[in-house]
């Protein structure tokens, strides 16, 4: 199983993260509101105080945040992803609700840092996230998209 970081565990992200834990993945989690991490921790997730440590050495990073400001903080802050000890070639799937301009900026920064970046906006409600029935839109380099689609280790 994969070593995964999941950042952003609100109503949508929590349901997705539960599915990954249930599938047996080693889960490293971060959320600004630490109260939202208690139940996932009880299921075996490793809680981190910041994104930088959460992404250290993981195979994949999944991000589900509410807006550009939250994303910029998680990516670019002093304790952000881009300042972490990343594993070259890590898959990074951005599920957050973001503007086109910020997606274009962060994709360049993530790629330059060595990530295999993919933008994947979703449609559906929290119930669909928890049951694995979200609709995902895939954007990015075709080889990265094919890698994500064929990687059974990340099936949620």
């Amino acid at each position: 199983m994969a070593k995964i970081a999941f950042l952003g565990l609100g109503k949508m992200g929590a349901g997705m993260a539960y599915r990954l834990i249930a599938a047996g993945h080693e889960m490293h989690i971060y959320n600004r509101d630490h109260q939202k991490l208690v139940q996932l921790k009880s299921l075996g997730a490793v809680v981190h105080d910041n994104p930088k440590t959460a992404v250290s050495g993981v195979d994949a990073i999944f991000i589900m945040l509410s807006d550009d400001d939250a994303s910029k903080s998680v990516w670019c802050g002093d304790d952000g992803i881009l300042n972490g000890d990343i594993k070259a070639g890590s898959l990074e799937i951005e599920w957050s609700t973001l503007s086109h301009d910020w997606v274009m900026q962060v994709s360049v920064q993530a790629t330059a840092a060595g990530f295999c970046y993919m933008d994947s906006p979703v449609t559906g409600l929290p119930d669909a996230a928890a049951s694995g029935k979200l609709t995902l839109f895939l954007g990015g380099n075709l080889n990265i998209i094919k890698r994500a689609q064929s990687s059974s280790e990340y099936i949620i």
Side-chain angles (χ1 to χ4, degrees), residues 72-135:
K72 288 174 184 177
S73 173
V74 163
W75 276 100
C76 303
D78 290 340
D79 290 326
I81 296 168
L82 293 173
N83 290 314
D85 181 21
I86 65 156
K87 184 176 177 180
S90 295
L91 183 62
E92 196 288 314
I93 300 179
E94 183 67 71
W95 285 318
S96 303
T97 303
L98 304 174
S99 70
H100 178 264
D101 289 345
W102 174 239
V103 167
M104 298 309 293
Q105 289 176 31
V106 75
S107 68
V108 169
Q109 292 175 328
T111 301
F115 287 108
C116 293
Y117 179 89
M118 189 172 88
D119 181 41
S120 182
V122 303
T123 64
L125 299 171
D127 294 7
S131 63
K133 295 181 181 177
L134 290 172
T135 299

Side-chain angles (χ1 to χ4, degrees), residues 6-14 17 29-31 36-37 40 64:
F6 205 112
L7 313 175
L9 294 151
K11 292 176 184 175
M12 296 293 282
I29 58 176
Y30 167 77
N31 196 72
K36 294 183 178 182
L37 305 176
L40 289 166
M64 177 58 93

Side-chain angles (χ1 to χ4, degrees), residues 13-36:
M16 298 165 89
Y18 284 120
R19 293 186 57 80
L20 289 163
I21 290 172
H25 298 290
E26 179 183 335
M27 184 69 65
H28 294 260
I29 58 176
Y30 167 77
N31 196 72
R32 292 175 290 179
D33 178 356
H34 288 273
Q35 285 299 103
K36 294 183 178 182

